[in-house]
Amino acid sequence: MRISILIYDGFTMLDAVGGYSVFGWLPGAEVEFVAERKTVIADDLRSGGLAAWRDYSEVESTDILYLPGGPGAGAQMKNEATLSFVRRLHETSTWTFGVCNGVEILAAAGILKGKTVTTNYFARQSVASFGANVVADRYRRDGKIVTTAGVSAGIDGALYLARLIAGEDVAKIIQLGIEYYPHPPFGYGSADDAPAHLHDMIGSAEGGGLEALMKAKEPRFIQPQL
């Protein structure tokens, strides 16, 4: 089973590695990190990154197409190379998995029209503008498409999909193996339940251009051609 995780400049690390920590333990799993070019791809904080050791031209098909989010997703929504790659792999994928505002990339590729999906709290309107029915769920399945809310929700969605693929016992073993039993210090039931002033602060950051802030920082490591 091939899992292809698409990464791009300015992805959010947990969006990518949360589901990776689940899918990577599925029996027979072969995970690859794919980008437009083979290099170390910088994340949104510019301090970390992941090595993309395959480029778009080297991946003809996959079983699970995995799209993480991050401030860099906005640029990818306008990048025809990425959108074409997503469309091509989605055509034959067994599952397509979108985390956070990575769901926006799926929407921009034109594959969510008429689908019921979830996404990051502040990306809901954008995804809906592409013709998707957006709900405020932690994760949601519509056919072969599984989408999740923001960042850490990718772990929940991945465990849900792991159960569909390999059965409940395997999914439970993986959950135990990564000790995923959340008990956060601030017990809001969902993003919608958080206080309004916190929403306002996040909204100001989003509206103020997280992508621009990201681009203002150089990655703190060499990005070699692999």
Side-chain angles (χ1 to χ4, degrees):
M1 178 186 298
R2 174 177 286 181
I3 300 103
S4 302
I5 304 176
L6 193 158
I7 53 177
Y8 49 85
D9 186 55
F11 74 98
T12 294
M13 188 71 76
L14 185 55
D15 282 18
V17 301
Y20 167 59
S21 296
V22 174
F23 293 142
W25 291 107
L26 287 172
E30 296 180 359
V31 183
E32 59 189 7
F33 290 94
V34 184
E36 189 170 3
R37 68 186 185 97
K38 293 187 285 188
T39 187
V40 179
I41 307 296
D43 74 346
D44 51 357
L45 298 179
R46 321 312 275 167
S47 303
L50 292 173
W53 46 276
R54 284 196 172 140
D55 64 32
Y56 294 168
S57 68
E58 295 177 299
V59 182
E60 296 183 359
S61 64
T62 192
D63 295 297
I64 301 178
L65 171 61
Y66 181 156
L67 273 292
Q76 299 309 309
M77 292 170 66
K78 305 170 187 175
N79 183 348
E80 187 54 38
T82 293
L83 298 180
S84 295
F85 177 74
V86 168
R87 292 186 200 106
R88 176 165 61 82
L89 263 65
H90 173 71
E91 285 182 4
T92 58
S93 67
T94 304
W95 300 97
T96 295
F97 185 72
V99 177
C100 193
N101 68 318
V103 178
E104 284 188 283
I105 301 175
L106 295 174
I111 64 178
L112 298 186
K113 188 173 181 179
K115 300 293 185 180
T116 299
V117 301
T118 189
T119 185
N120 172 278
Y121 183 86
F122 290 98
R124 290 174 184 170
Q125 186 173 352
S126 171
V127 172
S129 72
F130 289 96
N133 174 36
V134 180
V135 295
D137 293 347
R138 185 75 170 164
Y139 53 86
R140 172 59 74 111
R141 176 190 178 188
D142 189 329
K144 72 172 187 177
I145 299 172
V146 176
T147 52
T148 84
V151 194
S152 62
I155 302 173
D156 299 64
L159 286 167
Y160 166 78
L161 183 50
R163 181 178 65 183
L164 295 180
I165 293 170
E168 187 165 324
D169 288 344
V170 170
K172 285 181 176 179
I173 291 169
I174 294 172
Q175 181 175 339
L176 174 59
I178 64 173
E179 288 199 53
Y180 184 63
Y181 301 99
H183 190 66
F186 311 109
Y188 311 124
S190 71
D192 298 274
D193 297 332
H197 73 279
L198 297 182
H199 282 287
D200 292 342
M201 292 176 69
I202 297 294
S204 295
E206 294 276 355
L210 290 179
E211 185 177 353
L213 291 173
M214 175 202 75
K215 287 183 176 179
K217 298 179 181 179
E218 291 293 327
R220 298 182 180 178
F221 50 85
I222 296 172
Q223 294 182 282
Q225 186 71 28
L226 299 181

